[in-house]
Amino acid sequence: MQSAGLEPRPGVLLNLFNAKYWGRSVSFQAVSRWLRGEAIPEQDKLLVLAEILRVEPEVLRFGVKVRHSVQEHRQRWTDGVGYQDRETFDAFLRLPPAQRKFVRDLILTFAQPPADTDN
């Protein structure tokens, strides 16, 4: 709340939340439990909270560490995958499930380390 320029008090969040939320208003006790980490809001409420606090919904649910992990994973894909690989992935995703399984099994077979042939 402080990062969003808000005073970290349940009453402040309660008023902002209930003014933006389209469903049934929430109670002071519910907001207090959210802030103490005793409860996690339902997804529709989490989306409104994320908008109020100007953060991604996944940060509210899973924390900043998970966001950084996801960003690092995305960066690996951005840096390590070229146009031809992306084109291949797109074609793979368009295949019917049975063909996708076949291609996946084939790739995993090639990805295995070679068997020891010195027997």
Side-chain angles (χ1 to χ4, degrees):
M1 288 181 69
Q2 289 172 327
S3 296
L6 302 172
E7 189 178 348
R9 293 185 314 132
V12 171
L13 188 56
L14 175 72
N15 292 332
L16 288 170
F17 181 84
N18 283 333
K20 284 193 170 276
Y21 186 59
W22 56 89
R24 241 175 107 190
S25 60
V26 297
S27 68
F28 181 87
Q29 291 80 10
V31 172
S32 296
R33 291 181 60 217
W34 296 346
L35 292 176
R36 289 193 306 264
E38 296 173 357
I40 297 174
E42 295 171 358
Q43 187 64 26
D44 59 335
K45 293 176 177 73
L46 202 68
L47 294 173
V48 173
L49 283 173
E51 181 183 335
I52 291 169
L53 299 174
R54 290 175 259 168
V55 297
E56 295 84 1
E58 67 268 13
V59 170
L60 291 179
R61 183 167 299 274
F62 303 112
V64 176
K65 288 182 181 179
V66 170
R67 180 177 67 180
H68 290 302
S69 174
V70 168
Q71 288 172 341
E72 288 173 7
H73 183 74
R74 284 183 185 152
Q75 190 65 39
R76 281 197 308 263
W77 276 93
T78 301
D79 294 345
V81 178
Y83 173 76
Q84 289 180 329
D85 294 328
R86 290 177 198 278
E87 187 177 48
T88 304
F89 294 144
D90 287 338
F92 172 79
L93 293 173
R94 288 191 302 269
L95 293 173
Q99 290 179 350
R100 283 169 72 171
K101 181 183 181 326
F102 175 78
V103 171
R104 185 182 312 107
D105 291 344
L106 181 66
I107 291 169
L108 293 175
T109 298
F110 279 107
Q112 292 178 359
D116 186 13
T117 57
D118 293 337
N119 290 339

